[in-house]
Amino acid sequence: MKPFAYARPATVAEASRLLGRGSPAIAGGTDLLGLMKGGIAVPERLVDLSGIEGLRGWSRERGAGLRIGALTPLVDLEEDDRLARSLPIVREALADAATLQLKGMGTIGGNLLQRNRCWYFRDEAFPCWLKGGIRCFAADGESHYHAVVGTDAGCNRVTPSDLAPALVAHDAQVRLASARGTRTVSVADLFTDPALHRREEHTIRPGEILTHVVVPEAGLQRRGTYRKAMDRKAWSFALVSVAAAARVREGRLRDVRIVLGSVAPIPWRALEAEQAVEGTTVDDAQARRASELVLRDAVPLKDNAYKIPLARELVRRALLRLAGA
Amino acid sequence: MLGPGAADVAFEVNGHPASVHVPPHHTLLDALRDELGLTGAKRVCDEGTCGACTVLVDGRPTYSCMTLAVACEGRSIETVEGLAHDGQLDPVQQAFIATDAYQCGFCTPGQIMSVVALLRANKAPTAEDVHRAVAGNLCRCGAYPGIVEAALRAARARRR
Amino acid sequence: MKSDHARVVRTRVEFEGEITDELALIQGDDVEAWPEGAALEKVGRPTPRIDGASKVTGRARYTHDLRLPGMLHVRILRSPYARARVRRIDASQALALAGVRGVLHRFNAPKAAFRGEETIFRDEVRFVGDEVAAVAATSEEIAAQALRLITVDYEVLPHVVDLEEAMDDASPRIDEKGNVEEAAKHERGDVAGALREADVVVEATYRTSTQLHNSFETHGAVATWDGDLLTVHESTQHVFGVRQGLQAALRIPYGKIRVLCENMGGGFGSKGGVGKYTIIAALFARELGLPVRCVLDRGEENLAAGNRSATLQRVSVAVKGGRITALAHDSWSNAGQGRWVADPTGPTKGLYDVPNVRARSYKVMANTGSLSAFRAPGYVEGTFALEAAIDEAADRARIDPLELRRRHAAGEHDPMSGLRYSLKRLIDCYDIGAKEIGWSRRKPGGLRGSAPGTRRGLGMASQLWGGSGLPPAYAMVHLNPDGTAVARIGTQDIGTGTRTIIAQICAEELGIDVDAVRVEIGDTDSPYAPISAGSLTVSSIGPAVRLAARDAREQLLEIAAGIMEVPKTELRMQRGSIGARGALRSIAKVFEDLQNYTVIGRGARMPNPEDVSMKTFGAHFAEVEVDPRTGEVTVERVVAVHDIGRVIDPLTARSQVQGGVIQALGFALTEERHVDRATGRVLSTSLEIYKVPTVKDVPKIVVRFVDVPDTEANNIGAKGLGEPPIIPTAGAIANAVSNALGIRVRHLPLTPRRLLQLVAAAEAEGAGGRGAARPS
């Protein structure tokens, strides 16, 4: 790592003043330090958020939804039985995420803001588009783990976060605070729309701090489930993941959300499949039909066509689980 | 604000106060190995994927290669060197020997720290609990069956 | 001992599948092997490692951990191109950086022979990661910073990295002779005729991927000069090999080189000798007069520290009248820039009694890092292809695959040499394994899995390897006046428990506790011992240790006989005492008057017998559950049965088998080097992308040994166990998956991606409603 200065502010306001280009925030550090060791991120100053009080833990107030402090370690969320009753998908999504050590160090905010794992992006030697270059090396290179859909901008990265699809499926939002004030955006909108052709993965602005994740009441009314396919039994980013959530009454699914991870540069909504099961009671045949609508627009690369049947199968299983549980 | 030059960082290591003079870009693993001579924690992947550098920070198993030393100011660090007392090995260490839970031994200190953390939180772990605790500690020799056996054996010994 | 004179004998040795005749210097006479059923007190008993406490306390010191006063650190500049000519190097800015002490590269480094080349920095670099320059500085950080200040003018040349592309005539030629070179061939009987007349012929193509060792302690060395004496600490499987490499590179006498390896964090075949990093450390240390440390990082380890070659293999199996009548096996291995290649056809030639066999093996050059031996090189890859093809043939011929193998596994003579086996218990391995796994449950087409849509299968594969050990190996054992002993031998413990085994054998012979033996190894100032590789450590050094301990015991008894005034023949040593008919005297008591008189026992490894073939055999059985819709394979159980002669320490032997199975599990399911073909860069240089098994991947592993001593092989009756447990696992798993799905697995690792591709292809093919996952 290149030398840098280090600040550990005690308040959001102070932190916000210190943040900026070349001066990013660090929380758990499990992603950022990796990028720095690889020469991908070269900050002049790190702003350590861990000294800020009040951004750890979670609360649920009637009518106000669920509020989780961005600095809450993932393992605290996973192990919390009360939280698992309020929003079971969090425990499910975290069960196969990372390792115990990384979950103890990493935070929910950092999990959402982690950068993609593309092996061309992470290798300093490849001047890929996302790093300011002119092309995507995966497009005609090795593409086992890359996107099959939503790659308009010519970057074939995928979202690695396990929590992102799960939170999108529950219409979660994030609070972003800065010296200029606070704004709330949906977790879905935290990810930069690839169609905008911006060389960034997240919409958080320089100087902003992700302070909370909020799941509104409507989102909490949904039952959710998470499915993840990996190429070994632990400690792997998803080959494909699926979060599905819906209000379930008498077996009927409403407000259905089907969100795929690791198939696109953003958490990817399977809108056609959502519509196909909206208002229905899902049986085997129905789940199969709906799953076949998933990723119909996908254009796989040389090595990643397998993700399409895999995503469909995970969607089918997730829907059956939703309907059956 | 610290750095980019070296600054004093004080923390507790294995129950004793320690202080190192390091720049902000040095990790806890750097500080332990290079400044304090505690070479039990190993540098294997150096990017938070293998667990060989696992130590306990305020009791929590932590990849020291992905932890900045400056961020450890005032914290309590435990390493494999601090487990034995008066020549008496910790039950986890004893169990690792009894079940032959290693081959080359390079990942062993990290494995042991993960198991120690587990047993403090969970007096009667199942094999599945052990799997969760050490899934972030890779072993290239494949000593996993012995490691799981050792964890369960140490838990039994502790309960007795 | 009667004939104490040294003499040179010719002996047949086997190392990693290669059999050669070599000369060995020996002295003294051998003793009979402990017979089957001998009442041994230490050998054969589960014995915790004598160095266990050092490993669990973090005290065990590895090369990585060494910190010497004034020590400098080296970082290596590596080629970013798969092939290029180094035209010019400008290191002036690097040298100007504070803390930088030196830079070495092809234009200023002294000549230093390395693996057939004259210099360690090539003018034409041939893979991404090839050494271009090295910087020594006061810290690793400064050295790394300096690398960025070196400017190199490269002339980029055309390259090829992929095995099958390199075999294509249209690809760039790396070598004037072409990229493909015949490495081994064998033919016996009439293969063409047998194929013509067969009832069933299976011909199939198999592929295996490049596996990376990923030793947890990366390759590295620390070099110091004290005057003209060079001391090198190195993480190695062969301290004497490193010494030899240094002697060749630096042209200094052996007497001026000492190589040490106290502990080492995994090698798996890749740490067989000197590395460029060793020579670089030694050169800098000599030039700068300070200790120099050169240790690779994880990325470098996966570029330039060896690998198991990817292979392309074609296997044909002919079956007639319920027996295999012919095997044909052609194999191509990607050697990268390696100068040799392992032979995947070894098992085809020697495992089964088949009259007609044709085997050819080719080395293919490519612009990737050199292969290096990786635990049973060739045999892991080849056993998978052979055993998968035999299963295909058995299925086609409607014979139980285990039964088909049994018909060819009972032979008492080695089909390659015609020699009688000293011991072969392969059928016992089959019997034990089949019973343990419940082989009778196996059904063609597999079984239903535990969840809807999942399938379950059983598979097995056999193992052949050498492991009989070889001379030369020498040991010294001396006794302290209190009856404790020190064993000294120039071997090294690579994680297998070598120290413990030496202590057990000494303790056995001396009648003292294992704890009473201190073992000094990992030092070239000790008597020579061979490389710890090829499953030959125990069978090479064990017999020498036994003779040395025995020599010490005989001397002590001689002394005791004089002191106690009892004929020596009536004296026995046991539990730290010497006794005769009721009279018992502790060793310490015997020494009371002699005090510092030192009893020194010597032992040499005797030559191998000429008239027998000494092999290890085994069989693995696997039970898997497969989810054909997610591509997930779960290996639930592996039963590993091995015939390795006498088991010295059942505790460490069990670990060795479990470890082999788990490494093979990675080879079978998850481990694969990914290379960007356009640039030749390795993409999977990290342990995040290169997936070694985690604790959760590990099946229940049942370990069984036949445990009958091979009394003809050597005086301890033991053969090696390093390689055997990694050899048959992948074949057993692949056959179990094939059984579960009714789809042949021909490409490893069987990742979800590959499995889903197989299922999709089978479904596309499967007309008439014959679903791929539900074979008839």
mmCIF file of all heavy atoms in Angstrom, chain C residues 661-696:
data_model
loop_
_atom_site.group_PDB
_atom_site.id
_atom_site.type_symbol
_atom_site.label_atom_id
_atom_site.label_comp_id
_atom_site.label_asym_id
_atom_site.label_seq_id
_atom_site.Cartn_x
_atom_site.Cartn_y
_atom_site.Cartn_z
ATOM 1 N N VAL C 661 -6.721 -36.590 0.127
ATOM 2 C CA VAL C 661 -8.105 -36.628 -0.367
ATOM 3 C C VAL C 661 -8.622 -35.206 -0.578
ATOM 4 O O VAL C 661 -9.260 -34.898 -1.591
ATOM 5 C CB VAL C 661 -9.009 -37.397 0.619
ATOM 6 C CG1 VAL C 661 -10.489 -37.190 0.284
ATOM 7 C CG2 VAL C 661 -8.665 -38.875 0.617
ATOM 8 N N ILE C 662 -8.310 -34.329 0.358
ATOM 9 C CA ILE C 662 -8.851 -32.965 0.285
ATOM 10 C C ILE C 662 -8.197 -32.177 -0.849
ATOM 11 O O ILE C 662 -8.867 -31.434 -1.565
ATOM 12 C CB ILE C 662 -8.727 -32.277 1.666
ATOM 13 C CG1 ILE C 662 -9.686 -32.961 2.645
ATOM 14 C CG2 ILE C 662 -9.017 -30.783 1.558
ATOM 15 C CD1 ILE C 662 -9.463 -32.616 4.101
ATOM 16 N N GLN C 663 -6.894 -32.368 -1.044
ATOM 17 C CA GLN C 663 -6.270 -31.698 -2.191
ATOM 18 C C GLN C 663 -6.829 -32.234 -3.508
ATOM 19 O O GLN C 663 -7.013 -31.483 -4.463
ATOM 20 C CB GLN C 663 -4.753 -31.893 -2.168
ATOM 21 C CG GLN C 663 -4.048 -30.702 -1.589
ATOM 22 C CD GLN C 663 -2.544 -30.861 -1.530
ATOM 23 O OE1 GLN C 663 -1.976 -31.866 -1.929
ATOM 24 N NE2 GLN C 663 -1.896 -29.839 -1.017
ATOM 25 N N ALA C 664 -7.099 -33.519 -3.533
ATOM 26 C CA ALA C 664 -7.676 -34.103 -4.739
ATOM 27 C C ALA C 664 -9.103 -33.610 -4.955
ATOM 28 O O ALA C 664 -9.549 -33.443 -6.091
ATOM 29 C CB ALA C 664 -7.655 -35.629 -4.632
ATOM 30 N N LEU C 665 -9.788 -33.388 -3.865
ATOM 31 C CA LEU C 665 -11.146 -32.858 -3.953
ATOM 32 C C LEU C 665 -11.121 -31.496 -4.655
ATOM 33 O O LEU C 665 -11.959 -31.192 -5.502
ATOM 34 C CB LEU C 665 -11.708 -32.711 -2.543
ATOM 35 C CG LEU C 665 -13.129 -32.186 -2.385
ATOM 36 C CD1 LEU C 665 -14.118 -33.302 -2.660
ATOM 37 C CD2 LEU C 665 -13.348 -31.631 -0.981
ATOM 38 N N GLY C 666 -10.133 -30.686 -4.301
ATOM 39 C CA GLY C 666 -9.980 -29.394 -4.977
ATOM 40 C C GLY C 666 -9.689 -29.585 -6.458
ATOM 41 O O GLY C 666 -10.277 -28.924 -7.312
ATOM 42 N N PHE C 667 -8.785 -30.518 -6.765
ATOM 43 C CA PHE C 667 -8.446 -30.802 -8.161
ATOM 44 C C PHE C 667 -9.699 -31.253 -8.925
ATOM 45 O O PHE C 667 -9.908 -30.888 -10.078
ATOM 46 C CB PHE C 667 -7.384 -31.908 -8.193
ATOM 47 C CG PHE C 667 -7.036 -32.402 -9.567
ATOM 48 C CD1 PHE C 667 -6.202 -31.663 -10.396
ATOM 49 C CD2 PHE C 667 -7.545 -33.607 -10.036
ATOM 50 C CE1 PHE C 667 -5.876 -32.124 -11.672
ATOM 51 C CE2 PHE C 667 -7.222 -34.069 -11.307
ATOM 52 C CZ PHE C 667 -6.390 -33.330 -12.124
ATOM 53 N N ALA C 668 -10.525 -32.033 -8.265
ATOM 54 C CA ALA C 668 -11.705 -32.599 -8.929
ATOM 55 C C ALA C 668 -12.814 -31.570 -9.120
ATOM 56 O O ALA C 668 -13.511 -31.595 -10.138
ATOM 57 C CB ALA C 668 -12.235 -33.789 -8.126
ATOM 58 N N LEU C 669 -12.969 -30.672 -8.151
ATOM 59 C CA LEU C 669 -14.185 -29.845 -8.172
ATOM 60 C C LEU C 669 -13.971 -28.344 -8.266
ATOM 61 O O LEU C 669 -14.832 -27.644 -8.813
ATOM 62 C CB LEU C 669 -15.031 -30.147 -6.920
ATOM 63 C CG LEU C 669 -15.554 -31.576 -6.778
ATOM 64 C CD1 LEU C 669 -16.388 -31.701 -5.510
ATOM 65 C CD2 LEU C 669 -16.382 -31.995 -7.986
ATOM 66 N N THR C 670 -12.921 -27.813 -7.700
ATOM 67 C CA THR C 670 -12.873 -26.350 -7.577
ATOM 68 C C THR C 670 -11.603 -25.672 -8.079
ATOM 69 O O THR C 670 -11.646 -24.481 -8.398
ATOM 70 C CB THR C 670 -13.039 -25.925 -6.092
ATOM 71 O OG1 THR C 670 -11.985 -26.514 -5.316
ATOM 72 C CG2 THR C 670 -14.360 -26.357 -5.529
ATOM 73 N N GLU C 671 -10.479 -26.374 -8.130
ATOM 74 C CA GLU C 671 -9.213 -25.674 -8.374
ATOM 75 C C GLU C 671 -8.878 -25.602 -9.861
ATOM 76 O O GLU C 671 -8.838 -26.615 -10.540
ATOM 77 C CB GLU C 671 -8.080 -26.394 -7.641
ATOM 78 C CG GLU C 671 -8.216 -26.305 -6.137
ATOM 79 C CD GLU C 671 -7.057 -26.963 -5.422
ATOM 80 O OE1 GLU C 671 -5.941 -26.940 -5.966
ATOM 81 O OE2 GLU C 671 -7.276 -27.502 -4.328
ATOM 82 N N GLU C 672 -8.601 -24.389 -10.300
ATOM 83 C CA GLU C 672 -8.333 -24.180 -11.713
ATOM 84 C C GLU C 672 -7.616 -22.851 -11.896
ATOM 85 O O GLU C 672 -8.094 -21.817 -11.435
ATOM 86 C CB GLU C 672 -9.682 -24.152 -12.448
ATOM 87 C CG GLU C 672 -9.596 -23.897 -13.911
ATOM 88 C CD GLU C 672 -10.952 -24.065 -14.598
ATOM 89 O OE1 GLU C 672 -11.992 -24.059 -13.911
ATOM 90 O OE2 GLU C 672 -10.955 -24.198 -15.828
ATOM 91 N N ARG C 673 -6.486 -22.909 -12.572
ATOM 92 C CA ARG C 673 -5.805 -21.654 -12.904
ATOM 93 C C ARG C 673 -6.491 -21.050 -14.126
ATOM 94 O O ARG C 673 -6.701 -21.731 -15.133
ATOM 95 C CB ARG C 673 -4.331 -21.928 -13.222
ATOM 96 C CG ARG C 673 -3.544 -20.651 -13.497
ATOM 97 C CD ARG C 673 -2.111 -20.937 -13.896
ATOM 98 N NE ARG C 673 -2.032 -21.514 -15.227
ATOM 99 C CZ ARG C 673 -0.905 -21.867 -15.822
ATOM 100 N NH1 ARG C 673 0.247 -21.723 -15.186
ATOM 101 N NH2 ARG C 673 -0.904 -22.389 -17.023
ATOM 102 N N HIS C 674 -6.836 -19.781 -14.026
ATOM 103 C CA HIS C 674 -7.413 -19.075 -15.171
ATOM 104 C C HIS C 674 -6.357 -18.149 -15.742
ATOM 105 O O HIS C 674 -5.719 -17.400 -15.003
ATOM 106 C CB HIS C 674 -8.628 -18.247 -14.733
ATOM 107 C CG HIS C 674 -9.773 -19.072 -14.259
ATOM 108 N ND1 HIS C 674 -10.673 -19.659 -15.120
ATOM 109 C CD2 HIS C 674 -10.173 -19.430 -13.014
ATOM 110 C CE1 HIS C 674 -11.583 -20.331 -14.428
ATOM 111 N NE2 HIS C 674 -11.297 -20.211 -13.141
ATOM 112 N N VAL C 675 -6.192 -18.191 -17.041
ATOM 113 C CA VAL C 675 -5.207 -17.339 -17.708
ATOM 114 C C VAL C 675 -5.900 -16.559 -18.816
ATOM 115 O O VAL C 675 -6.686 -17.126 -19.571
ATOM 116 C CB VAL C 675 -4.063 -18.188 -18.321
ATOM 117 C CG1 VAL C 675 -3.011 -17.287 -18.964
ATOM 118 C CG2 VAL C 675 -3.411 -19.060 -17.262
ATOM 119 N N ASP C 676 -5.606 -15.288 -18.881
ATOM 120 C CA ASP C 676 -6.103 -14.474 -19.980
ATOM 121 C C ASP C 676 -5.259 -14.794 -21.212
ATOM 122 O O ASP C 676 -4.054 -14.573 -21.220
ATOM 123 C CB ASP C 676 -5.992 -12.984 -19.623
ATOM 124 C CG ASP C 676 -6.487 -12.105 -20.744
ATOM 125 O OD1 ASP C 676 -7.672 -12.227 -21.109
ATOM 126 O OD2 ASP C 676 -5.683 -11.317 -21.285
ATOM 127 N N ARG C 677 -5.907 -15.332 -22.226
ATOM 128 C CA ARG C 677 -5.135 -15.804 -23.381
ATOM 129 C C ARG C 677 -4.505 -14.668 -24.160
ATOM 130 O O ARG C 677 -3.430 -14.811 -24.725
ATOM 131 C CB ARG C 677 -6.037 -16.615 -24.304
ATOM 132 C CG ARG C 677 -6.432 -17.923 -23.659
ATOM 133 C CD ARG C 677 -7.426 -18.691 -24.482
ATOM 134 N NE ARG C 677 -8.064 -19.681 -23.627
ATOM 135 C CZ ARG C 677 -8.609 -20.790 -24.050
ATOM 136 N NH1 ARG C 677 -8.656 -21.047 -25.342
ATOM 137 N NH2 ARG C 677 -9.154 -21.624 -23.200
ATOM 138 N N ALA C 678 -5.188 -13.544 -24.190
ATOM 139 C CA ALA C 678 -4.685 -12.430 -25.000
ATOM 140 C C ALA C 678 -3.373 -11.881 -24.444
ATOM 141 O O ALA C 678 -2.498 -11.474 -25.204
ATOM 142 C CB ALA C 678 -5.737 -11.333 -25.070
ATOM 143 N N THR C 679 -3.239 -11.874 -23.126
ATOM 144 C CA THR C 679 -2.043 -11.280 -22.521
ATOM 145 C C THR C 679 -1.155 -12.309 -21.839
ATOM 146 O O THR C 679 -0.003 -12.007 -21.519
ATOM 147 C CB THR C 679 -2.442 -10.254 -21.434
ATOM 148 O OG1 THR C 679 -3.229 -10.942 -20.458
ATOM 149 C CG2 THR C 679 -3.253 -9.109 -22.028
ATOM 150 N N GLY C 680 -1.677 -13.481 -21.568
ATOM 151 C CA GLY C 680 -0.923 -14.484 -20.836
ATOM 152 C C GLY C 680 -0.862 -14.233 -19.345
ATOM 153 O O GLY C 680 -0.131 -14.897 -18.616
ATOM 154 N N ARG C 681 -1.657 -13.277 -18.865
ATOM 155 C CA ARG C 681 -1.655 -13.007 -17.419
ATOM 156 C C ARG C 681 -2.506 -14.030 -16.682
ATOM 157 O O ARG C 681 -3.589 -14.380 -17.139
ATOM 158 C CB ARG C 681 -2.219 -11.613 -17.128
ATOM 159 C CG ARG C 681 -1.307 -10.487 -17.529
ATOM 160 C CD ARG C 681 -1.843 -9.157 -17.047
ATOM 161 N NE ARG C 681 -1.653 -8.967 -15.614
ATOM 162 C CZ ARG C 681 -0.513 -8.569 -15.060
ATOM 163 N NH1 ARG C 681 0.532 -8.333 -15.807
ATOM 164 N NH2 ARG C 681 -0.420 -8.402 -13.761
ATOM 165 N N VAL C 682 -2.004 -14.485 -15.554
ATOM 166 C CA VAL C 682 -2.793 -15.387 -14.718
ATOM 167 C C VAL C 682 -3.800 -14.540 -13.950
ATOM 168 O O VAL C 682 -3.436 -13.554 -13.300
ATOM 169 C CB VAL C 682 -1.889 -16.177 -13.748
ATOM 170 C CG1 VAL C 682 -2.728 -17.048 -12.831
ATOM 171 C CG2 VAL C 682 -0.906 -17.036 -14.536
ATOM 172 N N LEU C 683 -5.064 -14.903 -14.064
ATOM 173 C CA LEU C 683 -6.123 -14.121 -13.414
ATOM 174 C C LEU C 683 -6.414 -14.634 -12.010
ATOM 175 O O LEU C 683 -6.968 -13.919 -11.183
ATOM 176 C CB LEU C 683 -7.391 -14.179 -14.261
ATOM 177 C CG LEU C 683 -7.228 -13.628 -15.687
ATOM 178 C CD1 LEU C 683 -8.439 -13.998 -16.544
ATOM 179 C CD2 LEU C 683 -7.031 -12.122 -15.655
ATOM 180 N N SER C 684 -6.058 -15.878 -11.781
ATOM 181 C CA SER C 684 -6.396 -16.500 -10.493
ATOM 182 C C SER C 684 -5.175 -16.573 -9.606
ATOM 183 O O SER C 684 -4.783 -17.640 -9.173
ATOM 184 C CB SER C 684 -6.940 -17.907 -10.742
ATOM 185 O OG SER C 684 -6.043 -18.616 -11.572
ATOM 186 N N THR C 685 -4.551 -15.430 -9.352
ATOM 187 C CA THR C 685 -3.354 -15.452 -8.512
ATOM 188 C C THR C 685 -3.689 -15.330 -7.028
ATOM 189 O O THR C 685 -2.803 -15.402 -6.192
ATOM 190 C CB THR C 685 -2.406 -14.288 -8.876
ATOM 191 O OG1 THR C 685 -3.160 -13.084 -8.831
ATOM 192 C CG2 THR C 685 -1.818 -14.468 -10.253
ATOM 193 N N SER C 686 -4.955 -15.118 -6.706
ATOM 194 C CA SER C 686 -5.304 -14.947 -5.297
ATOM 195 C C SER C 686 -6.059 -16.165 -4.781
ATOM 196 O O SER C 686 -6.620 -16.941 -5.551
ATOM 197 C CB SER C 686 -6.194 -13.712 -5.129
ATOM 198 O OG SER C 686 -7.499 -14.015 -5.587
ATOM 199 N N LEU C 687 -6.061 -16.296 -3.466
ATOM 200 C CA LEU C 687 -6.804 -17.401 -2.848
ATOM 201 C C LEU C 687 -8.304 -17.122 -2.809
ATOM 202 O O LEU C 687 -9.073 -17.951 -2.347
ATOM 203 C CB LEU C 687 -6.266 -17.668 -1.443
ATOM 204 C CG LEU C 687 -4.947 -18.444 -1.429
ATOM 205 C CD1 LEU C 687 -4.303 -18.390 -0.058
ATOM 206 C CD2 LEU C 687 -5.175 -19.887 -1.853
ATOM 207 N N GLU C 688 -8.707 -15.953 -3.266
ATOM 208 C CA GLU C 688 -10.142 -15.725 -3.401
ATOM 209 C C GLU C 688 -10.637 -16.391 -4.688
ATOM 210 O O GLU C 688 -11.661 -17.070 -4.695
ATOM 211 C CB GLU C 688 -10.449 -14.229 -3.455
ATOM 212 C CG GLU C 688 -11.941 -13.962 -3.644
ATOM 213 C CD GLU C 688 -12.234 -12.868 -4.662
ATOM 214 O OE1 GLU C 688 -11.527 -11.854 -4.690
ATOM 215 O OE2 GLU C 688 -13.178 -13.045 -5.448
ATOM 216 N N ILE C 689 -9.897 -16.193 -5.771
ATOM 217 C CA ILE C 689 -10.345 -16.719 -7.064
ATOM 218 C C ILE C 689 -9.908 -18.166 -7.238
ATOM 219 O O ILE C 689 -10.639 -18.984 -7.768
ATOM 220 C CB ILE C 689 -9.796 -15.852 -8.208
ATOM 221 C CG1 ILE C 689 -10.331 -14.422 -8.081
ATOM 222 C CG2 ILE C 689 -10.207 -16.426 -9.556
ATOM 223 C CD1 ILE C 689 -9.683 -13.445 -9.043
ATOM 224 N N TYR C 690 -8.681 -18.470 -6.818
ATOM 225 C CA TYR C 690 -8.212 -19.850 -6.893
ATOM 226 C C TYR C 690 -8.771 -20.586 -5.682
ATOM 227 O O TYR C 690 -8.357 -20.338 -4.549
ATOM 228 C CB TYR C 690 -6.687 -19.927 -6.924
ATOM 229 C CG TYR C 690 -6.250 -21.338 -7.182
ATOM 230 C CD1 TYR C 690 -6.152 -21.818 -8.479
ATOM 231 C CD2 TYR C 690 -6.024 -22.215 -6.138
ATOM 232 C CE1 TYR C 690 -5.818 -23.140 -8.727
ATOM 233 C CE2 TYR C 690 -5.686 -23.532 -6.371
ATOM 234 C CZ TYR C 690 -5.589 -23.988 -7.668
ATOM 235 O OH TYR C 690 -5.265 -25.302 -7.902
ATOM 236 N N LYS C 691 -9.699 -21.473 -5.924
ATOM 237 C CA LYS C 691 -10.493 -21.985 -4.810
ATOM 238 C C LYS C 691 -9.986 -23.320 -4.291
ATOM 239 O O LYS C 691 -10.258 -24.362 -4.858
ATOM 240 C CB LYS C 691 -11.950 -22.081 -5.237
ATOM 241 C CG LYS C 691 -12.549 -20.688 -5.460
ATOM 242 C CD LYS C 691 -14.045 -20.718 -5.587
ATOM 243 C CE LYS C 691 -14.644 -19.342 -5.418
ATOM 244 N NZ LYS C 691 -14.439 -18.454 -6.568
ATOM 245 N N VAL C 692 -9.256 -23.248 -3.178
ATOM 246 C CA VAL C 692 -8.889 -24.482 -2.490
ATOM 247 C C VAL C 692 -10.067 -24.856 -1.582
ATOM 248 O O VAL C 692 -10.852 -23.989 -1.201
ATOM 249 C CB VAL C 692 -7.587 -24.326 -1.676
ATOM 250 C CG1 VAL C 692 -6.461 -23.825 -2.560
ATOM 251 C CG2 VAL C 692 -7.778 -23.382 -0.504
ATOM 252 N N PRO C 693 -10.219 -26.120 -1.267
ATOM 253 C CA PRO C 693 -11.375 -26.512 -0.452
ATOM 254 C C PRO C 693 -11.374 -25.828 0.918
ATOM 255 O O PRO C 693 -10.321 -25.607 1.512
ATOM 256 C CB PRO C 693 -11.197 -28.025 -0.294
ATOM 257 C CG PRO C 693 -10.359 -28.440 -1.452
ATOM 258 C CD PRO C 693 -9.432 -27.287 -1.707
ATOM 259 N N THR C 694 -12.561 -25.513 1.398
ATOM 260 C CA THR C 694 -12.728 -25.008 2.760
ATOM 261 C C THR C 694 -13.195 -26.172 3.632
ATOM 262 O O THR C 694 -13.488 -27.259 3.128
ATOM 263 C CB THR C 694 -13.805 -23.917 2.834
ATOM 264 O OG1 THR C 694 -15.092 -24.535 2.655
ATOM 265 C CG2 THR C 694 -13.605 -22.857 1.755
ATOM 266 N N VAL C 695 -13.287 -25.918 4.911
ATOM 267 C CA VAL C 695 -13.744 -26.972 5.831
ATOM 268 C C VAL C 695 -15.125 -27.493 5.429
ATOM 269 O O VAL C 695 -15.431 -28.674 5.618
ATOM 270 C CB VAL C 695 -13.742 -26.443 7.291
ATOM 271 C CG1 VAL C 695 -14.809 -25.390 7.512
ATOM 272 C CG2 VAL C 695 -13.884 -27.571 8.297
ATOM 273 N N LYS C 696 -15.931 -26.622 4.838
ATOM 274 C CA LYS C 696 -17.294 -27.051 4.505
ATOM 275 C C LYS C 696 -17.354 -27.938 3.267
ATOM 276 O O LYS C 696 -18.371 -28.559 3.001
ATOM 277 C CB LYS C 696 -18.183 -25.825 4.301
ATOM 278 C CG LYS C 696 -18.506 -25.088 5.593
ATOM 279 C CD LYS C 696 -19.580 -24.055 5.369
ATOM 280 C CE LYS C 696 -19.848 -23.277 6.650
ATOM 281 N NZ LYS C 696 -20.811 -22.195 6.429
#
